[in-house]
């Protein structure tokens, strides 16, 4: 297969790119070249900016692909550009949506693709993803555009210390805080259920969707089957850091009252119990198995950071914010 990834070097996609190459896929990455260190050997790089439609059209003018995956489309405007670029030029277009698009809070704690509605009044990011999905399915109904939707939940890898509250730009901040014995905030009482998925496990399910005609017109989430409380998640992060975390439980409304920007990520996502039924992806990709436990996966992440000391930076503003809230 000849496959195009728009992006392809991000937190989730870099693991998918590696697996795709290892399975013999002829992989092309279209991006600005800002993360060349995450381009797997054997991938072809086409440099360009998908946010500049004329630039993208010129760079991809004479190309045809069996599959196109856009890892960095977030709004209907982004998707509209893709539809114009790839109409008649691919047999499958995969849009990366988000499991945060599912109803919050859900009527049933077990989430399935076909029974759980898409609605999220707390997070604009999620509402934009829902609008993208609707636009794509409308285009499929009107013109036959061959869309497949994938909804990742909280997926992490080497370059992210995953938590409900951490610095996005300086994720090592949480580990440093734990090792220093400083208190760490957990939303609520830490007993709500959550799912963490390592990017290498996600990749196994995702690569199995490439080129599958049966996946056209369908939506899939791809997550681990391991269900943890947030207390267990933070305890596992502490164990990987080699220090017992000092957890401070603070209600979600109180946290949002101090930082309204937390509403989307908490009420619109991580504070809501989310357990995913992966029967649909397993039915199409029988070898998909999320085998890596969070306890082992987060150890790998911490080890990667320690092997890259230049990435072990702290966010003083975030630390100060945590202290003020506490």
């Amino acid at each position: 297969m000849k496959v195009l990834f728009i992006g392809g070097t991000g937190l989730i996609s870099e693991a998918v790119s590696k697996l795709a190459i290892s399975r013999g896929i002829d992989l092309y990455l279209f991006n600005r070249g800002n993360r060349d260190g995450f381009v797997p050997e054997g991938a072809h790089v086409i440099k360009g900016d998908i946010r500049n439609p004329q630039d993208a059209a010129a760079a991809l003018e004479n190309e045809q692909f069996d599959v196109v995956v856009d890892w960095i489309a977030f709004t209907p405007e982004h998707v509209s550009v893709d539809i114009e670029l790839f109409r008649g030029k691919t047999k499958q277009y995969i849009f990366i949506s988000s499991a945060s698009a599912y109803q919050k809070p859900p009527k049933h704690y077990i989430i399935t693709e076909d029974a759980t509605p898409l609605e999220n009044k707390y997070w604009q990011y999620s509402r934009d993803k829902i609008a993208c999905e609707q636009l794509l399915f409308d285009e499929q109904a009107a013109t036959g555009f061959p869309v497949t939707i994938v909804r990742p939940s909280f997926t992490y890898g080497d370059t992210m210390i995953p938590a409900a509250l951490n610095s996005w730009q300086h994720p090592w901040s949480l580990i440093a805080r734990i090792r220093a014995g400083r208190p760490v905030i957990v939303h609520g009482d830490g007993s709500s259920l959550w799912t963490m998925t390592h990017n290498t496990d996600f990749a196994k399910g995702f690569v199995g969707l490439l080129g599958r005609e049966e996946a056209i017109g369908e939506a899939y989430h791809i997550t681990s089957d391991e269900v943890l409380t947030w207390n267990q998640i933070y305890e596992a992060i502490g164990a990987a850091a080699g220090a017992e975390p000092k957890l401070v439980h603070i209600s979600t409304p109180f946290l949002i009252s101090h930082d309204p920007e937390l509403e989307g990520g908490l009420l619109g996502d991580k504070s809501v119990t989310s357990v995913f039924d992966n029967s649909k992806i397993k039915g199409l990709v029988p070898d998909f198995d999320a085998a890596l436990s969070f306890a082992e996966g987060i150890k790998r992440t911490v080890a990667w950071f320690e092997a890259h000391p230049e990435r072990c930076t702290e966010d003083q503003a975030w630390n100060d914010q945590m202290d003020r809230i506490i």
Side-chain angles (χ1 to χ4, degrees), residues 161 165-180 182-184 305 311-319 322:
I161 308 293
L165 295 171
N166 196 5
S167 167
W168 179 257
Q169 294 296 329
H170 303 273
W172 184 254
S173 300
L174 181 61
I175 299 296
R177 192 173 178 92
I178 291 173
R179 286 181 171 175
R182 301 172 73 178
V184 172
F305 271 90
R311 298 294 295 269
C312 298
T313 55
E314 294 185 59
D315 186 336
Q316 189 58 48
W318 177 80
N319 268 317
M322 296 300 102

Side-chain angles (χ1 to χ4, degrees), residues 75-77 79-80 83 130-140:
T75 68
E77 290 75 21
V79 167
S80 295
I83 290 171
I130 294 168
C132 289
E133 290 195 29
Q134 188 59 58
L135 176 61
L136 286 163
F137 282 133
D138 287 347
E139 183 67 24
Q140 183 187 26

Side-chain angles (χ1 to χ4, degrees), residues 212-325:
R212 298 296 293 273
E213 187 176 347
E214 308 96 308
I216 303 301
E218 298 291 340
Y220 302 86
H221 50 241
I222 304 173
T223 77
S224 172
D225 293 319
E226 181 183 45
V227 179
L228 301 167
T229 67
W230 278 103
N231 286 331
Q232 290 173 320
I233 289 168
Y234 280 96
E235 287 162 3
I237 295 172
E244 183 175 352
K246 296 179 179 178
L247 304 184
V248 177
H249 295 94
I250 299 179
S251 75
T252 296
F254 187 90
L255 293 171
I256 293 169
S257 75
H258 281 264
D259 185 355
E261 291 187 4
L262 293 175
E263 181 177 71
L266 290 178
L267 286 181
D269 198 27
K270 298 173 186 66
S271 71
V272 182
T273 285
S274 297
V275 179
F276 298 93
D277 180 346
N278 287 291
S279 299
K280 189 171 182 180
I281 183 65
K282 291 177 180 177
L284 189 61
V285 187
D287 64 344
F288 168 61
D289 176 28
L292 190 62
S293 70
F294 182 65
E296 290 303 314
I298 191 62
K299 286 179 184 177
R300 291 189 190 182
T301 302
V302 170
W304 184 88
F305 271 90
E306 290 176 331
H308 296 79
E310 73 280 3
R311 298 294 295 269
C312 298
T313 55
E314 294 185 59
D315 186 336
Q316 189 58 48
W318 177 80
N319 268 317
D320 292 344
Q321 182 192 39
M322 296 300 102
D323 290 334
R324 282 196 303 271
I325 292 173

Side-chain angles (χ1 to χ4, degrees), residues 42-302:
H44 313 280
V45 177
I46 304 172
K47 288 199 175 182
D49 186 357
I50 194 65
R51 299 291 178 256
N52 183 331
Q54 291 181 327
D55 175 47
L60 300 169
E61 182 178 10
N62 298 316
E63 299 286 354
Q64 294 269 347
F65 299 96
D66 295 302
V67 184
V68 172
V69 183
D70 194 337
W71 294 96
I72 54 172
F74 302 103
T75 68
E77 290 75 21
H78 296 162
V79 167
S80 295
V81 169
D82 286 354
I83 290 171
E84 293 304 315
L85 280 175
F86 301 112
R87 185 187 286 119
K89 289 191 172 186
T90 187
K91 299 171 186 175
Q92 183 185 33
Y93 171 88
I94 301 181
F95 171 66
I96 307 301
S97 184
S98 169
S100 69
Y102 289 119
Q103 185 183 56
K104 298 291 184 294
K107 293 180 180 177
H108 194 283
Y109 77 100
I110 296 179
I111 295 170
T112 64
E113 293 92 337
D114 301 320
T116 306
L118 301 181
E119 57 180 70
N120 191 326
K121 64 181 179 180
Y122 300 107
W123 205 359
Q124 185 61 45
Y125 164 82
S126 306
R127 293 194 293 274
D128 286 342
K129 290 289 191 179
I130 294 168
C132 289
E133 290 195 29
Q134 188 59 58
L135 176 61
L136 286 163
F137 282 133
D138 287 347
E139 183 67 24
Q140 183 187 26
T143 69
F145 192 71
V147 62
T148 298
I149 304 293
V150 173
R151 301 174 185 140
S153 186
F154 206 157
T155 307
Y156 70 102
D158 288 343
T159 60
M160 175 194 274
I161 308 293
L165 295 171
N166 196 5
S167 167
W168 179 257
Q169 294 296 329
H170 303 273
W172 184 254
S173 300
L174 181 61
I175 299 296
R177 192 173 178 92
I178 291 173
R179 286 181 171 175
R182 301 172 73 178
V184 172
I185 297 175
V186 181
H187 58 276
D189 64 2
S191 66
S192 60
L193 303 178
W194 192 254
T195 304
M196 292 288 197
T197 307
H198 198 269
N199 60 7
T200 56
D201 280 335
F202 175 90
K204 291 184 283 186
F206 190 90
V207 171
L209 289 175
L210 299 177
R212 298 296 293 273
E213 187 176 347
E214 308 96 308
I216 303 301
E218 298 291 340
Y220 302 86
H221 50 241
I222 304 173
T223 77
S224 172
D225 293 319
E226 181 183 45
V227 179
L228 301 167
T229 67
W230 278 103
N231 286 331
Q232 290 173 320
I233 289 168
Y234 280 96
E235 287 162 3
I237 295 172
E244 183 175 352
K246 296 179 179 178
L247 304 184
V248 177
H249 295 94
I250 299 179
S251 75
T252 296
F254 187 90
L255 293 171
I256 293 169
S257 75
H258 281 264
D259 185 355
E261 291 187 4
L262 293 175
E263 181 177 71
L266 290 178
L267 286 181
D269 198 27
K270 298 173 186 66
S271 71
V272 182
T273 285
S274 297
V275 179
F276 298 93
D277 180 346
N278 287 291
S279 299
K280 189 171 182 180
I281 183 65
K282 291 177 180 177
L284 189 61
V285 187
D287 64 344
F288 168 61
D289 176 28
L292 190 62
S293 70
F294 182 65
E296 290 303 314
I298 191 62
K299 286 179 184 177
R300 291 189 190 182
T301 302
V302 170

